[in-house]
Amino acid sequence: MRIFSIILADDEQQILYGMKKGIEWEKLGFRVAGVAQNGKEALELMEEVHPDLVISDIKMPFMDGLELAKHIHEDYMNTKVILFSGWDDFEYARLAISYGVSEYIMKPINYEEMQNLLMKMHEELDKEYNEKMNRARLEHAYMESLPLLRQQFFTRLVTEKMNKNELQSQIDNLKLEFTDAVYSVVAMKVGRGDEKDVLSELAVKQTIKEALEKITRVYEFGMSDNEIFILGSNKKHDVGRITRTIDEAVVLIERIFQSRISCGISVSREKIEDMPSLYEQALEALDYNLVTVEESYTYYNDIMPVQDVKEDWNTKVENIGKNITHYTEEELKSQVESLLAWLHRRQYSLNEYQVLILEISFSFSRFYKKYQITSDMEFAGTKKMAVKILSLSTGEELDHWLVNYCELIRSLIQKKQIDNNVILAEHARKIVEERFPDPDLSVETVCGELHVSSSYFSKIFKQETGGTFVNYLTGRRMEEAKKLLLQTDYKSQVIGNMVGYPEPNYFSYVFKKNCGMSPVKYRKQGGDADEG
């Protein structure tokens, strides 16, 4: 029997405890992965647990069950919801249906009724899992995949600059609908394992496609070993929603197929003629993601784009360039020495070898421009570099030069990346300091202003500060609230509004959770110094 995960949410602790302890969950095929006493806590748990089912009361503080169901419906499409209510209200039921709620049940519910309901939900979840693995369904999807002519058109669309008239003619003839306001591209590679076959791989691709189709128009096709998704929308793409959708699909793929994927995501553009550049961005982001295996996707704006290596010496040159920021000093030295060993077997003359080392060095030097590195050191100036290389009189000296030069680039880029991370975190802290009273300030609004994805920002902020952005923002608000409580006569609800909590009860809840006592008690005791 499959075991599905559940989150329970109810503001009455006794009912919550009774539900958790009073039902033999595992015998029914479920596991309680978390409990919450309000909708906000349940939503925070969602990101960590990704449950198959949420069972929630409707009437809860700070965020009720209906609003929770709405968030789940929008951002967690694989999760089913059961709502309990003591109110026989048609409007509640209507909203619940519109938010994709599976069951709307009136209280009180006895044990037998709950058991039957859970058995029904397990059967539905089991059926959905089986459908995703059903080979007949996959074979049908494979037979209904894009015809050869569409495949050829999509390939040309992302690799060539097509004449406008020809482009429109092809779109009309193939009955496609490229009428969207903006476009972006996602390039995906499916991780391969010994047990994987073509249908399993197709199932993974279909899962991603179905997930993206819930938020945007999707045009899908294969190129080389990658699956390409062109996303079309009538409004500017929200990269946060795209990445959350991919994250949700990844959870399902890992559960059902025990498979991993890597994705590269381009920025968005308004013109379909920009498709080749978007495709290149997606491929570049995918190349980066294949190195950072702990992430399932990389957004193009989160990396510094690197130009393609134009000279055709050896694939080692390209590989060193792509991975130079990730190598340790010893790893880089080993890669460069491997390149040099290959060059030696070509038996160049000294003059030829000097020119070749100079050309390879110039190829690497583009990183200075891409990463905006400035340096007065001898290696940084191309004129000085050319004079130095042409003055070297042995192959050993030239080899030593190239190894040192690559190590210099690696160290300067890594320092620049560290500096950039510090700057990003400082900008975020400055935004908090200036606007923490704004109740709408969030990770999403900060990322929008800094033009980075929430996943990248959250990782960098935690790396630089040791904590999450939400905790940092809450801490700053609590710090200001404490000061106002001790230094002014403002009422608690006024202070809450001044530090970003317009809902008085929620301000008291957050304050007590973070400070160990209510705002009123904190003021009465004179602050931290008198806390018992």
Side-chain angles (χ1 to χ4, degrees):
M1 176 185 286
R2 285 195 183 101
I3 301 296
F4 297 107
S5 58
I6 287 185
I7 286 178
L8 304 176
D10 197 304
D11 63 324
E12 296 185 40
Q13 201 165 15
Q14 186 175 356
I15 293 177
L16 200 60
Y17 182 83
M19 289 177 65
K20 184 178 179 182
K21 299 296 183 182
I23 296 174
E24 295 179 300
W25 295 102
E26 291 196 5
K27 286 187 177 181
L28 297 170
F30 292 96
R31 173 181 61 85
V32 178
V35 296
Q37 289 188 265
N38 60 68
K40 285 195 174 184
E41 284 187 353
L43 202 57
E44 290 173 2
L45 271 176
M46 289 290 301
E47 186 173 349
E48 178 183 348
V49 175
H50 297 276
D52 298 291
L53 177 64
V54 171
I55 301 178
S56 173
D57 189 14
I58 280 189
K59 191 177 180 182
M60 295 186 295
F62 312 134
M63 179 187 291
D64 64 22
L66 279 174
E67 190 176 352
L68 172 62
K70 182 174 183 290
H71 281 288
I72 293 173
H73 182 61
E74 290 176 350
D75 297 330
Y76 299 91
M77 70 278 188
N78 299 317
T79 300
K80 292 187 177 297
V81 177
I82 295 176
L83 290 182
F84 294 113
S85 175
W87 300 83
D88 187 8
D89 190 306
F90 173 77
E91 183 63 17
Y92 275 178
R94 186 188 67 79
L95 284 173
I97 291 171
S98 71
Y99 296 156
V101 172
S102 299
E103 296 286 343
Y104 182 84
I105 309 298
M106 298 299 300
K107 288 182 176 180
I109 295 181
N110 59 39
Y111 177 80
E112 184 178 352
E113 187 177 1
M114 173 65 86
Q115 188 177 41
N116 291 336
L117 178 59
L118 289 170
M119 289 171 64
K120 176 186 174 184
M121 294 307 301
H122 190 281
E123 185 178 339
E124 287 186 16
L125 286 165
D126 219 26
K127 182 179 178 182
E128 288 185 8
Y129 270 60
N130 288 335
E131 283 180 356
K132 293 219 176 267
M133 300 184 71
N134 186 286
R135 287 183 174 268
R137 174 177 175 270
L138 298 178
E139 288 170 354
H140 177 73
Y142 182 78
M143 295 302 295
E144 293 295 315
S145 62
L146 295 175
L148 179 60
L149 287 176
R150 286 192 175 186
Q151 169 74 40
Q152 291 173 339
F153 168 72
F154 287 135
T155 300
R156 287 190 63 197
L157 181 64
V158 300
T159 57
E160 301 178 19
K161 285 283 187 181
M162 297 177 66
N163 175 278
K164 276 191 176 183
N165 292 335
E166 181 189 7
L167 180 59
Q168 191 57 53
S169 175
Q170 289 270 31
I171 290 172
D172 293 340
N173 291 338
L174 295 172
K175 298 184 177 358
L176 298 169
E177 296 184 31
F178 279 96
T179 57
D180 305 281
V182 291
Y183 299 95
S184 59
V185 175
V186 175
M188 181 185 79
K189 186 181 288 291
V190 180
R192 296 182 180 276
D194 293 339
E195 74 284 359
K196 300 294 185 297
D197 57 26
V198 66
L199 290 178
S200 296
E201 188 171 328
L202 177 63
V204 171
K205 296 173 183 177
Q206 190 71 10
T207 300
I208 290 289
K209 181 183 178 184
E210 290 172 356
L212 291 171
E213 283 176 336
K214 292 179 181 293
I215 63 169
T216 186
R217 189 197 305 273
V218 179
Y219 310 90
E220 175 205 13
F221 60 102
M223 283 190 68
S224 301
D225 291 334
N226 302 326
E227 199 69 11
I228 309 300
F229 302 91
I230 297 175
L231 310 185
S233 177
N234 290 324
K235 58 183 179 179
K236 186 176 180 180
H237 281 307
D238 176 5
V239 68
R241 193 162 190 203
I242 294 173
T243 55
R244 284 196 300 272
T245 299
I246 291 175
D247 272 337
E248 275 297 293
V250 165
V251 171
L252 192 62
I253 287 167
E254 290 181 347
R255 282 184 184 174
I256 298 179
F257 306 107
Q258 292 78 51
S259 184
R260 285 189 52 81
I261 64 167
S262 292
C263 293
I265 306 169
S266 77
V267 300
S268 59
R269 291 284 185 268
E270 296 178 358
K271 297 180 180 179
I272 191 173
E273 293 88 346
D274 291 330
M275 205 61 69
S277 64
L278 296 179
Y279 174 65
E280 288 299 321
Q281 289 180 6
L283 288 185
E284 193 166 339
L286 176 60
D287 281 343
Y288 186 92
N289 189 255
L290 291 170
V291 176
T292 54
V293 295
E294 70 275 7
E295 303 288 349
S296 57
Y297 63 83
T298 294
Y299 177 49
Y300 180 76
N301 269 3
D302 291 345
I303 63 173
M304 294 289 264
V306 180
Q307 292 177 345
D308 291 335
V309 177
K310 295 180 179 179
E311 301 294 340
D312 187 23
W313 303 295
N314 190 280
T315 54
K316 286 184 178 293
V317 173
E318 182 179 355
N319 289 334
I320 292 170
K322 284 182 178 179
N323 299 299
I324 195 167
T325 59
H326 309 291
Y327 287 142
T328 64
E329 182 177 351
E330 286 303 313
E331 288 171 340
L332 177 60
K333 183 178 180 181
S334 173
Q335 292 296 321
V336 177
E337 287 177 346
S338 175
L339 165 64
L340 293 170
W342 180 87
L343 294 176
H344 291 170
R345 291 195 292 272
R346 306 292 294 229
Q347 297 181 332
Y348 292 102
S349 68
L350 178 60
N351 287 342
E352 290 172 336
Y353 198 52
Q354 284 175 319
V355 172
L356 184 59
I357 295 297
L358 183 60
E359 289 175 341
I360 292 173
S361 300
F362 282 167
S363 176
F364 283 130
S365 71
R366 73 185 186 276
F367 285 102
Y368 283 110
K369 181 179 179 181
K370 285 295 178 182
Y371 288 88
Q372 299 180 328
I373 295 171
T374 57
S375 172
D376 295 329
M377 296 181 66
E378 181 184 20
F379 290 165
T382 54
K383 290 183 179 179
K384 289 182 179 180
M385 185 167 66
V387 171
K388 178 65 177 178
I389 290 175
L390 295 176
S391 72
L392 300 175
S393 57
T394 68
E396 184 178 0
E397 290 175 348
L398 289 164
D399 291 351
H400 186 64
W401 155 270
L402 189 62
V403 170
N404 286 344
Y405 184 61
C406 289
E407 171 53 29
L408 172 69
I409 292 175
R410 184 193 73 88
S411 60
L412 288 177
I413 290 174
Q414 289 185 345
K415 181 180 183 300
K416 182 71 174 182
Q417 288 180 321
I418 292 172
D419 292 343
N420 287 342
N421 292 347
V422 171
I423 291 170
L424 183 68
E426 282 302 317
H427 282 172
R429 280 195 280 245
K430 185 178 179 182
I431 290 173
V432 169
E433 190 59 35
E434 293 174 350
R435 290 167 40 200
F436 68 84
D438 181 0
D440 294 325
L441 186 62
S442 64
V443 171
E444 287 72 23
T445 57
V446 171
C447 290
E449 292 186 26
L450 298 178
H451 306 293
V452 295
S453 68
S454 57
S455 172
Y456 176 77
F457 171 77
S458 297
K459 180 171 68 175
I460 295 303
F461 191 86
K462 189 170 185 179
Q463 177 181 304
E464 294 300 322
T465 66
T468 67
F469 177 80
V470 172
N471 287 342
Y472 183 83
L473 175 59
T474 303
R476 180 64 187 92
R477 286 170 168 170
M478 293 301 101
E479 177 187 329
E480 188 69 14
K482 288 179 180 179
K483 186 171 76 172
L484 291 170
L485 284 166
L486 296 179
Q487 297 178 6
T488 73
D489 294 326
Y490 294 134
K491 291 183 177 180
S492 175
Q493 65 185 56
V494 175
I495 292 175
N497 195 56
M498 291 171 69
V499 298
Y501 298 102
E503 220 298 342
N505 291 335
Y506 190 59
F507 168 62
S508 297
Y509 172 80
V510 174
F511 191 93
K512 186 173 182 180
K513 184 177 180 181
N514 284 272
C515 305
M517 63 181 71
S518 69
V520 173
K521 187 175 181 181
Y522 182 85
R523 171 177 273 166
K524 187 180 294 184
Q525 292 192 359
D528 294 332
D530 298 323
E531 286 186 35

